[in-house]
PDB file of all heavy atoms in Angstrom:
ATOM      1  N   ALA B 160      26.990 -49.719 -61.165  1.00  0.00           N
ATOM      2  CA  ALA B 160      27.105 -48.346 -60.656  1.00  0.00           C
ATOM      3  C   ALA B 160      28.480 -47.755 -60.966  1.00  0.00           C
ATOM      4  O   ALA B 160      28.600 -46.550 -61.222  1.00  0.00           O
ATOM      5  CB  ALA B 160      26.845 -48.318 -59.151  1.00  0.00           C
ATOM      6  N   MET B 161      29.520 -48.597 -60.967  1.00  0.00           N
ATOM      7  CA  MET B 161      30.859 -48.082 -61.316  1.00  0.00           C
ATOM      8  C   MET B 161      30.870 -47.549 -62.745  1.00  0.00           C
ATOM      9  O   MET B 161      31.431 -46.483 -63.019  1.00  0.00           O
ATOM     10  CB  MET B 161      31.906 -49.182 -61.149  1.00  0.00           C
ATOM     11  CG  MET B 161      32.149 -49.529 -59.686  1.00  0.00           C
ATOM     12  SD  MET B 161      33.264 -50.950 -59.513  1.00  0.00           S
ATOM     13  CE  MET B 161      34.835 -50.163 -59.862  1.00  0.00           C
ATOM     14  N   GLU B 162      30.253 -48.287 -63.652  1.00  0.00           N
ATOM     15  CA  GLU B 162      30.175 -47.820 -65.046  1.00  0.00           C
ATOM     16  C   GLU B 162      29.369 -46.519 -65.133  1.00  0.00           C
ATOM     17  O   GLU B 162      29.737 -45.595 -65.854  1.00  0.00           O
ATOM     18  CB  GLU B 162      29.514 -48.885 -65.928  1.00  0.00           C
ATOM     19  CG  GLU B 162      30.409 -50.065 -66.225  1.00  0.00           C
ATOM     20  CD  GLU B 162      29.697 -51.127 -67.081  1.00  0.00           C
ATOM     21  OE1 GLU B 162      28.602 -50.875 -67.598  1.00  0.00           O
ATOM     22  OE2 GLU B 162      30.268 -52.224 -67.210  1.00  0.00           O
ATOM     23  N   LEU B 163      28.273 -46.482 -64.392  1.00  0.00           N
ATOM     24  CA  LEU B 163      27.419 -45.280 -64.409  1.00  0.00           C
ATOM     25  C   LEU B 163      28.201 -44.069 -63.888  1.00  0.00           C
ATOM     26  O   LEU B 163      28.182 -42.988 -64.495  1.00  0.00           O
ATOM     27  CB  LEU B 163      26.176 -45.542 -63.555  1.00  0.00           C
ATOM     28  CG  LEU B 163      25.198 -44.392 -63.350  1.00  0.00           C
ATOM     29  CD1 LEU B 163      24.661 -43.860 -64.674  1.00  0.00           C
ATOM     30  CD2 LEU B 163      24.025 -44.836 -62.469  1.00  0.00           C
ATOM     31  N   LEU B 164      28.931 -44.257 -62.785  1.00  0.00           N
ATOM     32  CA  LEU B 164      29.688 -43.146 -62.201  1.00  0.00           C
ATOM     33  C   LEU B 164      30.875 -42.745 -63.080  1.00  0.00           C
ATOM     34  O   LEU B 164      31.296 -41.583 -63.061  1.00  0.00           O
ATOM     35  CB  LEU B 164      30.174 -43.522 -60.795  1.00  0.00           C
ATOM     36  CG  LEU B 164      29.083 -43.474 -59.714  1.00  0.00           C
ATOM     37  CD1 LEU B 164      29.546 -44.185 -58.455  1.00  0.00           C
ATOM     38  CD2 LEU B 164      28.677 -42.033 -59.404  1.00  0.00           C
ATOM     39  N   SER B 165      31.395 -43.678 -63.859  1.00  0.00           N
ATOM     40  CA  SER B 165      32.518 -43.310 -64.728  1.00  0.00           C
ATOM     41  C   SER B 165      32.036 -42.376 -65.850  1.00  0.00           C
ATOM     42  O   SER B 165      32.796 -41.573 -66.367  1.00  0.00           O
ATOM     43  CB  SER B 165      33.180 -44.567 -65.308  1.00  0.00           C
ATOM     44  OG  SER B 165      32.376 -45.103 -66.338  1.00  0.00           O
ATOM     45  N   LYS B 166      30.758 -42.477 -66.207  1.00  0.00           N
ATOM     46  CA  LYS B 166      30.199 -41.571 -67.216  1.00  0.00           C
ATOM     47  C   LYS B 166      29.633 -40.297 -66.600  1.00  0.00           C
ATOM     48  O   LYS B 166      29.617 -39.244 -67.237  1.00  0.00           O
ATOM     49  CB  LYS B 166      29.065 -42.273 -67.972  1.00  0.00           C
ATOM     50  CG  LYS B 166      29.516 -43.225 -69.055  1.00  0.00           C
ATOM     51  CD  LYS B 166      28.341 -43.554 -69.970  1.00  0.00           C
ATOM     52  CE  LYS B 166      28.734 -44.562 -71.033  1.00  0.00           C
ATOM     53  NZ  LYS B 166      27.567 -44.999 -71.817  1.00  0.00           N
ATOM     54  N   HIS B 167      29.099 -40.396 -65.388  1.00  0.00           N
ATOM     55  CA  HIS B 167      28.434 -39.263 -64.727  1.00  0.00           C
ATOM     56  C   HIS B 167      28.953 -39.169 -63.295  1.00  0.00           C
ATOM     57  O   HIS B 167      28.341 -39.686 -62.362  1.00  0.00           O
ATOM     58  CB  HIS B 167      26.915 -39.445 -64.767  1.00  0.00           C
ATOM     59  CG  HIS B 167      26.374 -39.567 -66.161  1.00  0.00           C
ATOM     60  ND1 HIS B 167      26.156 -38.472 -66.966  1.00  0.00           N
ATOM     61  CD2 HIS B 167      26.061 -40.643 -66.898  1.00  0.00           C
ATOM     62  CE1 HIS B 167      25.706 -38.882 -68.150  1.00  0.00           C
ATOM     63  NE2 HIS B 167      25.652 -40.189 -68.136  1.00  0.00           N
ATOM     64  N   GLN B 168      30.100 -38.495 -63.158  1.00  0.00           N
ATOM     65  CA  GLN B 168      30.776 -38.492 -61.862  1.00  0.00           C
ATOM     66  C   GLN B 168      30.089 -37.635 -60.809  1.00  0.00           C
ATOM     67  O   GLN B 168      30.344 -37.775 -59.624  1.00  0.00           O
ATOM     68  CB  GLN B 168      32.221 -38.023 -62.053  1.00  0.00           C
ATOM     69  CG  GLN B 168      33.081 -39.100 -62.706  1.00  0.00           C
ATOM     70  CD  GLN B 168      34.275 -38.533 -63.429  1.00  0.00           C
ATOM     71  OE1 GLN B 168      34.405 -37.325 -63.573  1.00  0.00           O
ATOM     72  NE2 GLN B 168      35.140 -39.422 -63.897  1.00  0.00           N
ATOM     73  N   ASP B 169      29.236 -36.728 -61.261  1.00  0.00           N
ATOM     74  CA  ASP B 169      28.663 -35.764 -60.321  1.00  0.00           C
ATOM     75  C   ASP B 169      27.226 -36.091 -59.921  1.00  0.00           C
ATOM     76  O   ASP B 169      26.458 -35.197 -59.563  1.00  0.00           O
ATOM     77  CB  ASP B 169      28.729 -34.366 -60.935  1.00  0.00           C
ATOM     78  CG  ASP B 169      28.021 -34.311 -62.285  1.00  0.00           C
ATOM     79  OD1 ASP B 169      27.747 -35.396 -62.853  1.00  0.00           O
ATOM     80  OD2 ASP B 169      27.732 -33.196 -62.759  1.00  0.00           O
ATOM     81  N   LEU B 170      26.864 -37.360 -59.941  1.00  0.00           N
ATOM     82  CA  LEU B 170      25.511 -37.719 -59.507  1.00  0.00           C
ATOM     83  C   LEU B 170      25.322 -37.386 -58.027  1.00  0.00           C
ATOM     84  O   LEU B 170      26.217 -37.613 -57.204  1.00  0.00           O
ATOM     85  CB  LEU B 170      25.270 -39.221 -59.714  1.00  0.00           C
ATOM     86  CG  LEU B 170      25.218 -39.730 -61.155  1.00  0.00           C
ATOM     87  CD1 LEU B 170      25.033 -41.241 -61.159  1.00  0.00           C
ATOM     88  CD2 LEU B 170      24.109 -39.037 -61.939  1.00  0.00           C
ATOM     89  N   ASP B 171      24.149 -36.869 -57.685  1.00  0.00           N
ATOM     90  CA  ASP B 171      23.819 -36.619 -56.283  1.00  0.00           C
ATOM     91  C   ASP B 171      23.316 -37.886 -55.602  1.00  0.00           C
ATOM     92  O   ASP B 171      23.524 -38.087 -54.413  1.00  0.00           O
ATOM     93  CB  ASP B 171      22.742 -35.534 -56.187  1.00  0.00           C
ATOM     94  CG  ASP B 171      23.212 -34.207 -56.758  1.00  0.00           C
ATOM     95  OD1 ASP B 171      24.203 -33.669 -56.229  1.00  0.00           O
ATOM     96  OD2 ASP B 171      22.620 -33.724 -57.748  1.00  0.00           O
ATOM     97  N   TYR B 172      22.594 -38.701 -56.384  1.00  0.00           N
ATOM     98  CA  TYR B 172      22.024 -39.928 -55.839  1.00  0.00           C
ATOM     99  C   TYR B 172      22.117 -41.053 -56.859  1.00  0.00           C
ATOM    100  O   TYR B 172      22.098 -40.804 -58.059  1.00  0.00           O
ATOM    101  CB  TYR B 172      20.529 -39.753 -55.522  1.00  0.00           C
ATOM    102  CG  TYR B 172      20.232 -38.767 -54.432  1.00  0.00           C
ATOM    103  CD1 TYR B 172      19.867 -37.457 -54.737  1.00  0.00           C
ATOM    104  CD2 TYR B 172      20.305 -39.134 -53.094  1.00  0.00           C
ATOM    105  CE1 TYR B 172      19.584 -36.536 -53.741  1.00  0.00           C
ATOM    106  CE2 TYR B 172      20.023 -38.226 -52.088  1.00  0.00           C
ATOM    107  CZ  TYR B 172      19.664 -36.920 -52.420  1.00  0.00           C
ATOM    108  OH  TYR B 172      19.391 -36.022 -51.420  1.00  0.00           O
ATOM    109  N   ILE B 173      22.215 -42.277 -56.370  1.00  0.00           N
ATOM    110  CA  ILE B 173      21.880 -43.442 -57.200  1.00  0.00           C
ATOM    111  C   ILE B 173      20.792 -44.208 -56.460  1.00  0.00           C
ATOM    112  O   ILE B 173      20.890 -44.444 -55.247  1.00  0.00           O
ATOM    113  CB  ILE B 173      23.081 -44.372 -57.446  1.00  0.00           C
ATOM    114  CG1 ILE B 173      24.205 -43.637 -58.183  1.00  0.00           C
ATOM    115  CG2 ILE B 173      22.651 -45.589 -58.277  1.00  0.00           C
ATOM    116  CD1 ILE B 173      25.445 -44.503 -58.458  1.00  0.00           C
ATOM    117  N   LEU B 174      19.752 -44.578 -57.218  1.00  0.00           N
ATOM    118  CA  LEU B 174      18.685 -45.392 -56.639  1.00  0.00           C
ATOM    119  C   LEU B 174      18.669 -46.774 -57.281  1.00  0.00           C
ATOM    120  O   LEU B 174      18.872 -46.908 -58.496  1.00  0.00           O
ATOM    121  CB  LEU B 174      17.318 -44.743 -56.864  1.00  0.00           C
ATOM    122  CG  LEU B 174      16.906 -43.685 -55.829  1.00  0.00           C
ATOM    123  CD1 LEU B 174      17.515 -42.340 -56.192  1.00  0.00           C
ATOM    124  CD2 LEU B 174      15.401 -43.594 -55.705  1.00  0.00           C
ATOM    125  N   THR B 175      18.440 -47.771 -56.468  1.00  0.00           N
ATOM    126  CA  THR B 175      18.249 -49.135 -56.970  1.00  0.00           C
ATOM    127  C   THR B 175      17.028 -49.739 -56.270  1.00  0.00           C
ATOM    128  O   THR B 175      16.642 -49.282 -55.190  1.00  0.00           O
ATOM    129  CB  THR B 175      19.454 -50.056 -56.666  1.00  0.00           C
ATOM    130  OG1 THR B 175      19.345 -50.531 -55.310  1.00  0.00           O
ATOM    131  CG2 THR B 175      20.782 -49.371 -56.851  1.00  0.00           C
ATOM    132  N   PRO B 176      16.443 -50.770 -56.878  1.00  0.00           N
ATOM    133  CA  PRO B 176      15.444 -51.534 -56.132  1.00  0.00           C
ATOM    134  C   PRO B 176      16.133 -52.378 -55.064  1.00  0.00           C
ATOM    135  O   PRO B 176      17.323 -52.666 -55.168  1.00  0.00           O
ATOM    136  CB  PRO B 176      14.802 -52.419 -57.204  1.00  0.00           C
ATOM    137  CG  PRO B 176      15.762 -52.458 -58.337  1.00  0.00           C
ATOM    138  CD  PRO B 176      16.635 -51.252 -58.253  1.00  0.00           C
TER     139      PRO B 176
END
Side-chain angles (χ1 to χ4, degrees):
Chain B
M161 290 174 77
E162 286 178 10
L163 176 58
L164 284 166
S165 76
K166 280 196 183 173
H167 302 280
Q168 286 156 352
D169 57 345
L170 293 178
D171 298 299
Y172 295 98
I173 299 180
L174 275 84
T175 81

